[in-house]
Amino acid sequence: MDLLTDRIDAFIDHLAAERQLSGHTLSNYRRDLDRIAAHLDNNGHSDWNRLDAPLLRQFIAHQHREGISGRTLQRRLSACRTFFHYLIREGLAGTNPAVGISAPKSGKPLPKTLDADQLGQLLDQNSDDPLVVRDLAMLELLYSSGLRLAELVSLDINSVDLREANLRVTGKGRKTRQLPVGRKATAALERWLDCRDQLADYGERALFVSQQGQRLSPRSVQARLARWGQQNGLQERLHPHRVRHSFASHLLESSGDLRAVQELLGHADISTTQIYTHLDFQHLADVYDNAHPRAKKQR
């Protein structure tokens, strides 16, 4: 098993140095490859060259029977393909066993969103507590600019220009984009910056900091938002990506401009953004079912 994990360690170091992937992405690669390595080890093999297509298909079939989604299995196959491209390049493998293997398909769930009233209940609050002021600024910015969690926590003070009401963010693939910041988000950020020094360590550049004065971690943001959702009576867990989904859905519903939403979200492919057209249609379908005289649902 040591040789298997040593190869994974070297690959992760390669991804971090040459492709500058985020810590979250690197963790996913490691987790997926560790599972394949464990399957290889359980079959009595300690060399990645012993992983062939039949053994890899066996792994995928076993995972599928365990209830792992097709989307997750496709990600694991993608990690395996990328890993073997690296091994072949380094002269450590001769063939790529993942080429030509597909995961079982599974339905793609629509992202869940918050409606405008729910967001209003979350955001229209006042407090002098620096932690509450910080959380409200984070929520406003997530909804105003459609940020990913990793993009939010990576922001520095100089990432935001409140006078021009915009921010510069680094997204996936180290690509930067400039985003507008809404009026209420700007006001929330001004309130946070007025009290940020009460928490931040001297010289700390991060826009959002923890009680310990250092850059806020993704896990802490997730925990704070989940707490906010519970306190405000949301039935389902509130998480940063749900706010991003709400931003995209509401903007597309109002503007109908798919290309603009794609640019704001930082999607490389417009097909990723098209999921929100399905959300919009579902909203229209619900209105139709509840309002049309010949389609009203029985109550």
Side-chain angles (χ1 to χ4, degrees):
M1 190 70 175
D2 287 345
L3 180 59
L4 297 175
T5 55
D6 285 348
R7 295 282 190 258
I8 295 173
D9 290 342
F11 173 62
I12 297 300
D13 289 343
H14 156 76
L15 292 180
E18 294 194 17
R19 294 177 57 182
Q20 297 184 322
L21 298 180
S22 70
H24 176 71
T25 302
L26 295 175
S27 295
N28 282 341
Y29 268 110
R30 183 181 293 280
R31 187 163 49 248
D32 291 338
L33 292 172
D34 281 345
R35 286 183 167 85
I36 300 173
H39 179 71
L40 198 56
D41 185 61
N42 290 338
N43 280 272
H45 304 307
S46 59
D47 188 335
W48 282 103
N49 275 299
R50 302 304 298 272
L51 182 66
D52 56 15
L55 192 57
L56 185 56
R57 286 194 180 94
Q58 182 189 86
F59 166 75
I60 293 298
H62 175 74
Q63 292 269 287
H64 188 53
R65 288 194 298 272
E66 292 289 315
I68 305 301
S69 71
R71 184 177 181 180
T72 299
L73 293 177
Q74 192 60 55
R75 190 193 70 208
R76 289 178 184 168
L77 282 169
S78 177
C80 187
R81 273 191 293 273
T82 305
F83 177 51
F84 268 86
H85 282 316
Y86 162 79
L87 292 180
I88 292 169
R89 193 190 79 173
E90 297 295 313
L92 301 172
T95 60
N96 193 328
V99 172
I101 298 180
S102 298
K105 291 184 178 180
S106 58
K108 190 173 184 179
L110 293 176
K112 292 182 172 63
T113 63
L114 298 162
D115 62 36
D117 290 338
Q118 289 173 315
L119 282 161
Q121 183 179 348
L122 280 171
L123 298 171
D124 292 339
Q125 302 188 42
N126 290 309
S127 175
D128 294 327
D129 182 343
L131 291 180
V132 175
V133 174
R134 180 202 64 190
D135 290 352
L136 286 170
M138 289 193 303
L139 273 166
E140 286 280 10
L141 195 55
L142 285 168
Y143 183 53
S144 163
S145 304
L147 299 180
R148 299 179 177 95
L149 173 58
E151 294 169 347
L152 179 79
V153 298
S154 70
L155 291 174
D156 293 332
I157 292 180
N158 61 5
S159 301
V160 183
D161 185 340
L162 294 181
R163 178 174 296 178
E164 297 296 327
N166 62 49
L167 64 87
R168 191 167 186 83
V169 64
T170 302
K172 289 186 176 180
R174 309 295 296 174
K175 293 181 179 178
T176 60
R177 65 190 192 278
Q178 191 163 310
L179 298 172
V181 179
R183 175 176 54 85
K184 291 197 173 183
T186 299
L189 284 169
E190 287 174 344
R191 287 194 296 273
W192 161 238
L193 290 173
D194 283 343
C195 63
R196 176 184 173 278
D197 287 347
Q198 297 178 35
L199 297 179
D201 287 345
Y202 178 77
E204 176 59 62
R205 296 171 54 202
L207 177 60
F208 296 112
V209 297
S210 66
Q211 283 181 287
Q212 288 70 44
Q214 299 169 346
R215 186 180 299 274
L216 200 61
S217 70
R219 190 178 296 274
S220 295
V221 176
Q222 291 169 328
R224 291 293 295 187
L225 262 62
R227 181 179 175 186
W228 271 87
Q230 289 177 340
Q231 289 176 342
N232 285 274
L234 294 184
Q235 297 299 310
E236 297 183 2
R237 183 181 176 88
L238 177 65
H239 53 82
H241 222 62
R242 192 175 179 195
V243 183
R244 175 172 157 90
H245 289 323
S246 302
F247 159 84
S249 179
H250 296 172
L251 195 61
L252 183 59
E253 184 179 334
S254 298
S255 70
D257 192 334
L258 192 64
R259 286 288 180 186
V261 175
Q262 177 194 4
E263 291 293 324
L264 290 168
L265 290 174
H267 286 161
D269 192 330
I270 199 168
S271 64
T272 309
T273 319
Q274 284 173 333
I275 183 67
Y276 297 105
T277 65
H278 300 309
L279 277 175
D280 196 28
F281 176 78
Q282 185 60 53
H283 168 73
L284 293 174
D286 290 341
V287 171
Y288 176 85
D289 286 341
N290 285 299
H292 194 285
R294 303 290 285 179
K296 281 186 179 178
K297 295 177 179 178
Q298 296 297 318
R299 301 188 183 278

